[in-house]
Amino acid sequence: MAENTGKKVSKKALSKSFHNWYYGNLTCFSQEHMQTFGYLVSMLPVVEDLYESKGEQTKALKTYSAFFNTEPQIGSMIVGVSVGLEEARANGEAIDDETINGIRAGLMGPLAGIGDSLIVGTLIPILLGIAMGLSQGGSPLGAIFYIIVWNLLAYFGMRFAYYRGYDLGGAAVEALVGPNATALRESIVMVGTMVIGAVAATWVNITTALTLPGGGTLQSTLDGIFPKLLPLGFTLLCWWLMAKKKVSPIVTMLILLVVAFIGAAVGFFGAATIAAPTA
């Protein structure tokens, strides 16, 4: 283990980092980047506090330019964990980009599911139900209640999750650089890969309406051999274009649009089918 140089994120930088996430987690939000820039801007005060040279700051910030998207309230914990790990890296611990991004990718999916269930699916409907009850007869109390209570719960809940994540990030260093570090990092990356695979299988829905000469459809045949084969193929195509050929996400989406248009026109996709040739 490398010698600790005593660097520690200041309370001012921690506070600024948290507030950057609280106010700006949807900064420059797009389908291509989602919360990437909100995540990046929340790490900016931390990186500036830990590293003096611009070169070190630039190198560290590149870690946080990867795609990021989670439920903003519960997901504050991921930002806190990242801060703890960045602090450890600045002190010479064997924490690399792969470890930080592996943990981030592995946590953002599960915490998004928890946050969507607890916050979006439970807490907000409860608060809105109370607010609508208070608003009967045109009373402004409902709106006032919701604005005050929601903002207080969101602020202090996100603050607790952020600082709890920061503490966990620091405590996780020993496990990450200890004898089992390699196996742990590989496990974290594998979990992230499984989450991405599950998301692709769940949300990428591609089927074909092509009929086969002997009867039946190509889709039923594919499902019998390898369910979700077409979604897998399109997902791998997107990965190949962006990761190997360095095609931008926007151009990749345009390519998929062209493929979808041509496929629908010839009957491979959609309700239309290609009739079997006749003698």
Side-chain angles (χ1 to χ4, degrees):
M1 184 179 297
E3 182 181 355
N4 194 304
T5 57
K7 292 183 178 180
K8 190 170 181 64
V9 182
S10 66
K11 292 183 178 179
K12 181 179 179 181
L14 282 173
S15 177
K16 187 174 181 181
S17 171
F18 164 69
H19 285 95
N20 282 357
W21 175 254
Y22 177 73
Y23 290 113
N25 57 75
L26 298 180
T27 298
C28 299
F29 187 92
S30 68
Q31 294 300 316
E32 179 179 351
H33 299 289
M34 296 292 186
Q35 297 170 343
T36 300
F37 295 115
Y39 180 52
L40 182 64
V41 77
S42 68
M43 293 301 299
L44 181 59
V46 174
V47 171
E48 290 178 338
D49 196 49
L50 290 173
Y51 303 100
E52 295 182 0
S53 72
K54 293 295 183 182
E56 289 179 313
Q57 292 175 6
T58 301
K59 182 179 179 181
L61 284 174
K62 286 182 178 179
T63 306
Y64 308 104
S65 61
F67 176 85
F68 185 70
N69 187 47
T70 190
E71 196 280 321
Q73 283 73 48
I74 302 296
S76 300
M77 181 174 289
I78 302 175
V79 184
V81 169
S82 301
V83 174
L85 293 175
E86 189 61 55
E87 181 181 84
R89 178 162 68 170
N91 281 299
E93 302 288 2
I95 305 294
D96 55 17
D97 292 355
E98 183 179 356
T99 300
I100 295 175
N101 282 326
I103 291 176
R104 172 194 56 75
L107 288 177
M108 68 182 186
L111 288 187
I114 295 172
D116 287 342
S117 299
L118 293 179
I119 306 299
V120 181
T122 304
L123 178 60
I124 291 179
I126 290 175
L127 293 179
L128 286 174
I130 297 173
M132 286 188 290
L134 294 174
S135 298
Q136 290 182 356
S139 172
L141 289 178
I144 295 173
F145 165 83
Y146 182 80
I147 292 172
I148 294 176
V149 174
W150 164 246
N151 280 283
L152 287 175
L153 290 176
Y155 179 85
F156 287 104
M158 291 174 70
R159 191 177 188 278
F160 173 80
Y162 175 91
Y163 281 94
R164 184 59 179 165
Y166 171 61
D167 293 336
L168 290 174
V173 172
E174 286 298 325
L176 292 171
V177 299
N180 298 322
T182 301
L184 180 59
R185 286 197 292 267
E186 290 177 353
S187 300
I188 291 170
V189 172
M190 183 172 292
V191 169
T193 304
M194 291 171 63
V195 170
I196 294 172
V199 169
T202 303
W203 292 102
V204 180
N205 185 24
I206 300 174
T207 58
T208 176
L210 187 66
T211 57
L212 298 176
T217 64
L218 176 61
Q219 184 63 49
S220 62
T221 303
L222 292 177
D223 289 341
I225 301 172
F226 195 134
K228 298 289 185 178
L229 181 60
L230 287 178
L232 174 63
F234 272 79
T235 302
L236 291 177
L237 172 63
C238 293
W239 169 81
W240 179 75
L241 287 172
M242 291 187 289
K244 298 300 183 181
K245 296 301 181 180
K246 306 302 179 184
V247 178
S248 72
I250 298 298
V251 174
T252 300
M253 285 189 283
L254 290 175
I255 292 173
L256 293 181
L257 184 62
V258 172
V259 171
F261 179 81
I262 296 175
V266 301
F268 188 83
F269 302 125
T273 59
I274 298 178
T278 57

